[in-house]
Amino acid sequence: MDDGFIAKPLDRRQIDQAYPLVCAIAPGLGVDQWRAFAAALLGTATKGSSAEAPRLPAEAGIITVQNVQGYMHGLFSYKVEPHLRHGRVLSVDNFVVLDLFDLAGIAETLLRAMEVLARRLGCAAIHTTLSDRYIPLDSRRNPIPDCFRTEGHRQETIRFCKDLAVVNDNSPVATGGLREVE
């Protein structure tokens, strides 16, 4: 992975800059639709904390991966949600990576940022929904998805779960970790 990449929250002034990334997973998405979506997520950020208490990240937002020049190479949107089996989960959507040379490095940076974010927010698991661009075309036939297809449904996403208690301890990350998360 290139150490020149940093995961950080999307700034309101960068909403338009992120639009081409999102179009990679949502072709035809209107810029106004993207602006409204991003503004709504960024609007949920909690403002202000006491100087003594470490500042927690917002419970919903957009995390980007940028190089040192500020060019975006990936992002995901997230929201903390309740889940029947896991309790508090970090629900991740709109995961996108665009880079000519280091797709894995960008993806690894985003995945590490997800885990740090989830731990800082006290989540027990991370649920990630991937765009159909990440679904393999040669997947085996399965009777359950076939039933959905027969009834007119189509597969749009793959969802992954990382149970933080099973993988390693679920202790919150101390200050540090994910740089620039507020």
Side-chain angles (χ1 to χ4, degrees), residues 115-131:
E115 186 162 343
V116 169
L117 186 61
R119 290 180 185 284
R120 288 193 62 203
L121 289 167
C123 295
I126 302 167
H127 289 174
T128 304
T129 303
L130 294 179
S131 161

Side-chain angles (χ1 to χ4, degrees), residues 29-77:
L29 181 75
V31 69
D32 290 335
Q33 195 174 353
W34 163 244
R35 286 175 179 155
F37 173 82
L41 273 181
L42 298 181
T44 62
T46 50
K47 302 290 181 198
S49 293
S50 78
E52 300 92 42
R55 196 167 168 170
L56 286 176
E59 292 207 354
I62 300 169
I63 299 294
T64 65
V65 169
Q66 302 178 24
N67 64 14
V68 292
Q69 292 84 20
Y71 293 107
M72 289 182 207
H73 295 266
L75 64 76
F76 65 83
S77 61

Side-chain angles (χ1 to χ4, degrees), residues 5-130:
F5 292 117
I6 182 172
K8 58 192 265 185
L10 180 70
D11 184 272
R12 287 185 181 282
R13 296 172 306 221
Q14 297 175 305
I15 290 174
D16 285 353
Q17 182 185 350
Y19 178 66
L21 282 171
V22 176
C23 285
I25 57 169
L29 181 75
V31 69
D32 290 335
Q33 195 174 353
W34 163 244
R35 286 175 179 155
F37 173 82
L41 273 181
L42 298 181
T44 62
T46 50
K47 302 290 181 198
S49 293
S50 78
E52 300 92 42
R55 196 167 168 170
L56 286 176
E59 292 207 354
I62 300 169
I63 299 294
T64 65
V65 169
Q66 302 178 24
N67 64 14
V68 292
Q69 292 84 20
Y71 293 107
M72 289 182 207
H73 295 266
L75 64 76
F76 65 83
S77 61
Y78 71 92
K79 185 173 186 177
V80 174
E81 297 178 335
H83 186 269
L84 178 62
R85 290 187 12 211
H86 299 291
R88 242 172 111 82
V89 298
L90 185 73
S91 182
V92 174
D93 284 309
N94 305 308
F95 183 95
V96 61
V97 173
L98 285 180
D99 191 78
L100 293 175
F101 305 107
D102 194 9
L103 290 175
I106 305 292
E108 289 169 6
T109 301
L110 285 171
L111 289 168
R112 280 195 293 276
M114 269 185 226
E115 186 162 343
V116 169
L117 186 61
R119 290 180 185 284
R120 288 193 62 203
L121 289 167
C123 295
I126 302 167
H127 289 174
T128 304
T129 303
L130 294 179

Side-chain angles (χ1 to χ4, degrees), residues 161-174:
C161 173
K162 180 174 185 175
D163 188 336
L164 297 175
V166 172
V167 176
N168 39 32
D169 75 327
N170 194 23
S171 58
V173 172

